[in-house]
Amino acid sequence: MSIDARNHEDAETFDGSDDGSDDDENKSPVQRWADDWIRNPEKAYAVMLVFLGGVLLTTSLFPLYWLFNVAMAPPGQTDIPIVPATIDLSAFVQVFVQVPFARFMFNSLFYAFTVTLFVLLIGSLAGYAFGRLEFRGKTPLLFSLLVLSFFPPATLFIPLFRAFNQQVPMLGLFTLPVELYGTPGAVITPLSAFTMPLAIFILTTFYGQIPDGLEDAARVEGTTRIGALFRVIMPLSAPGVATAGILTFITVYTEFFFSFLMTGNSAAEWAPVVDGVIAFQTQYTVRYDLQAAASLIAIVPVAILVVVAQDKIISGLTQGALKE
Amino acid sequence: MSRVKLTDVTKQYDDVTAVDNMNLDLKDGEFICLVGPSGCGKSTTLETIAGLTKPTSGEILIGDREVTNLPPKDRGIAMVFQNIALFPHMDVYDNISFGLRLRNFPQEEMDERVEEAARVVRMQGMLDRMPSEMSGGQRQRVAIARAIVRDPDVFLMDEPLANLDAKLRVNMRTELQRLHKQLETTIIYVTHNQAEAMTMSDRIAVLNKGELQQIAPPLVCYNQPANRFVAGFIGSPSMNFADATVGDSTLDANGYSISFDTVAIDGVGTGDAVEFGIRPEDIYLTENSAEAADPSRSFSVTTDVLEPMGDEIFVYLKPILGTGAGEADFEEREGLLMSVDPSSDISEEEDVEIVFDRAQLHLFDADTGDAISHGVVADADVEADSDGVQAD
């Protein structure tokens, strides 16, 4: 019986034998199901959404679950059961005892924070110029930034490594005054350069949208242009600044190539968290359980950041797109 | 309180001259309105005084200081913007105290000043509101409070009332005048609304195409406009204009002629092409010609459309048809607009007799538009004999 027939005033006059129920009885359950979905497509969409979400969640969360499983297994066990036999969290403590894992994490967090700070500061100045000023060659300059960001960073590794480590003159012109290799500078400078273009693009879009009147008002009230940028334009572009900052932070924190190769292997030599995970592997032993535990711990800062700032990121990314 | 002086200020954008050789000398405590149509350079002039735009050439003095190259913050100015420009992320208190905080005022003095400024604009007790929670008029008042709290030498106002509704605008206009009386600070006020300019200012500076046309008290701009542009811009509805030629003792327009004493007026001679202008209220029905200071002869015209305003009626008159004029000529000529008393018994499509008040007739040079004379002196003869139009 369809909803229409039941609610209709004339429904009573059919003496209970209406066509709808006859049809339903003649059809197989699958046919009825299909009919229902054709009439109410939103039901189909809901089911598809749940299904897709399930697939996505499984593929992204299962590896984490597997890491947890590995961390629960006793040392040396390679046959990992689908459900851990025992819950033994000692591996998570052991990680910090066996190697200075906290220092490794600090190193990576230090890189991420410093680069983010640099990028937001310099990117803001660039974003201000590109978003709010008119000057000759603005578009070509912005375009060349875009081209730079397409450049694979790995191609620049060898020249930078030689300049940082072997004191080879940069561009054949000057030698760096100090050896950067093994210091935070060797990681922070190249990574700042590589993450800068995206941040500049995001900030340019946002800073360009702040009405001129507000900047003028701030300048008349007593700020310089730079002062207006940091006191008025930046706070009003908070979603954009947050997006640029978080994307930079995550990129640098999870970066492997430069942070691994530009530093030594020990925590004291500013090695990143990757080295901390590798440190559980010696010439003769591999502590997979500790490596898994270390990996999980290393994820925590980024996970917290994303959970805390997710709505900022989403509003930041979509706002920029919608307001064009 | 300070005088403001602009000397030969020019601002060029690529090939557009926004402000052309502007010379202004504003007295201490004066309320000046910069008026003109959109794009006349009035906002640019204000921006150069504020320091938001650097003039291409010229010099700006505030008080006795040359400020041409100083940043806005060091000029001792405060500004109210057309779009109000309150900082949306700060509450009223923070908005008003923004400039004070930047200048590191002690907390108690800051509180005192903010309270006082809020009291002046009647916004006490709303200091913790956010701009998004307030109405347009309240925001504008906060913007004014933000301007007065620093006790600046000069106030700059860039169409501060343009975004308010009509009733609020009149209200705020009065408040601004009250404020000016109270603070006695020099105010430079930009508007394209000539009613605001007429009612508020001590002097009006009329701008067109980046050039200063006239700077004078409102009534002088109204009664003795320096040129055709000022005559047309000041006054609502606008002055009527018509091309004319100077005869021996007459002013001959297409279709009518007004006698006047050529000798009495400098700068015109027989045969000169001029343009004359007359305001709607200086045209009278012949039966009321006694009200005119110096009535001309009367002309027959036909009324077209009436616009009753309550206190007066605007009457659009069909162009006066000259005896020798053809149909095409009739179409091309513009009709006159006159203002009559609401008690007048007048209807559309009615033939009426009108007179011009020759004392209020303005003559402009046809080429340059410069004013030649305000009021043409009458001949001794009364022109009672000639009825209607007179062909050239």
Side-chain angles (χ1 to χ4, degrees), chain B residues 64-77:
Chain B
D64 297 319
R65 279 194 310 157
E66 211 230 288
V67 298
T68 319
N69 292 310
L70 286 184
K73 66 189 178 77
D74 300 329
R75 294 189 176 205
I77 50 154

Side-chain angles (χ1 to χ4, degrees), chain B residues 32-47:
Chain B
I32 288 276
C33 276
L34 301 182
V35 288
S38 335
C40 72
K42 55 191 192 297
S43 285
T44 313
T45 307
L46 199 72
E47 279 169 19

Side-chain angles (χ1 to χ4, degrees), chain B residues 320-346:
Chain B
I320 300 163
L321 181 58
T323 47
E327 280 300 306
D329 202 9
F330 178 84
E331 293 290 334
E332 278 166 18
R333 261 179 286 144
E334 276 183 33
L336 286 171
L337 173 64
M338 73 181 283
S339 153
V340 298
D341 193 82
S343 61
S344 308
D345 180 24
I346 197 163

Side-chain angles (χ1 to χ4, degrees), chain A residues 6 18 28 32 64 95 104 112 181 184 201 207 209 224 238 270 286 311 323:
Chain A
R6 190 174 46 211
D18 59 70
S28 72
R32 253 181 282 149
L64 292 179
V95 163
F104 282 113
Y181 177 82
F201 268 95
Y207 292 173
Q209 288 167 356
T224 55
W270 289 97
V286 183
D311 45 320
K323 273 193 184 168

Side-chain angles (χ1 to χ4, degrees), chain B residues 147-214:
Chain B
I148 62 179
V149 76
R150 282 190 291 119
D151 201 8
D153 296 330
V154 181
F155 276 127
L156 306 176
M157 304 201 176
D158 189 0
E159 310 216 16
L161 309 183
N163 288 351
L164 303 181
D165 63 61
K167 195 177 165 206
L168 200 56
R169 192 154 48 210
V170 176
N171 218 335
M172 289 297 290
R173 202 157 80 191
T174 329
E175 291 204 20
L176 277 179
Q177 279 174 282
R178 183 175 56 81
L179 200 68
H180 180 236
K181 211 184 282 177
Q182 197 176 333
L183 301 172
E184 297 178 326
T185 307
T186 314
I187 298 183
I188 306 177
Y189 188 104
V190 161
T191 180
H192 64 268
N193 181 330
Q194 49 103 3
E196 275 175 24
M198 293 291 288
T199 49
M200 295 200 288
S201 53
D202 297 324
R203 280 198 294 166
I204 297 182
V206 185
L207 273 65
N208 187 32
K209 293 178 182 162
E211 288 179 40
L212 181 65
Q213 306 290 323
Q214 184 171 16

Side-chain angles (χ1 to χ4, degrees), chain B residues 119-340:
Chain B
R119 197 185 54 74
V120 170
V121 298
R122 299 186 213 151
M123 287 290 291
Q124 311 100 299
M126 304 186 80
L127 292 177
D128 53 352
R129 295 271 191 104
M130 295 303 279
S132 55
E133 300 165 350
M134 294 186 294
S135 69
Q138 288 174 327
R139 281 183 218 175
Q140 192 57 277
R141 276 199 276 233
V142 174
I144 292 169
R146 183 174 69 183
I148 62 179
V149 76
R150 282 190 291 119
D151 201 8
D153 296 330
V154 181
F155 276 127
L156 306 176
M157 304 201 176
D158 189 0
E159 310 216 16
L161 309 183
N163 288 351
L164 303 181
D165 63 61
K167 195 177 165 206
L168 200 56
R169 192 154 48 210
V170 176
N171 218 335
M172 289 297 290
R173 202 157 80 191
T174 329
E175 291 204 20
L176 277 179
Q177 279 174 282
R178 183 175 56 81
L179 200 68
H180 180 236
K181 211 184 282 177
Q182 197 176 333
L183 301 172
E184 297 178 326
T185 307
T186 314
I187 298 183
I188 306 177
Y189 188 104
V190 161
T191 180
H192 64 268
N193 181 330
Q194 49 103 3
E196 275 175 24
M198 293 291 288
T199 49
M200 295 200 288
S201 53
D202 297 324
R203 280 198 294 166
I204 297 182
V206 185
L207 273 65
N208 187 32
K209 293 178 182 162
E211 288 179 40
L212 181 65
Q213 306 290 323
Q214 184 171 16
I215 177 161
L219 286 178
V220 174
C221 286
Y222 189 82
N223 291 323
Q224 287 146 39
N227 55 36
R228 190 193 174 298
F229 177 80
V230 177
F233 190 78
I234 302 289
S236 174
S238 179
M239 191 185 268
N240 296 294
F241 292 101
D243 292 324
T245 322
V246 177
D248 280 337
S249 62
T250 52
L251 189 63
D252 302 322
N254 203 352
Y256 41 88
S257 110
I258 299 157
S259 70
F260 81 124
D261 189 350
T262 318
V263 188
I265 296 165
D266 289 337
V268 285
T270 307
D272 283 357
V274 294
E275 194 167 4
F276 78 83
I278 185 145
R279 294 200 182 275
E281 66 267 29
D282 296 323
I283 304 176
Y284 296 86
L285 293 169
T286 305
E287 67 239 40
N288 300 332
S289 63
E291 290 171 27
D294 189 1
S296 67
R297 83 177 56 151
S298 60
F299 309 100
S300 303
V301 288
T302 312
T303 61
D304 189 2
V305 179
L306 303 186
E307 287 181 348
M309 303 298 289
D311 57 342
E312 58 188 338
I313 303 174
F314 293 128
V315 184
Y316 287 87
L317 303 171
K318 288 182 176 171
I320 300 163
L321 181 58
T323 47
E327 280 300 306
D329 202 9
F330 178 84
E331 293 290 334
E332 278 166 18
R333 261 179 286 144
E334 276 183 33
L336 286 171
L337 173 64
M338 73 181 283
S339 153
V340 298

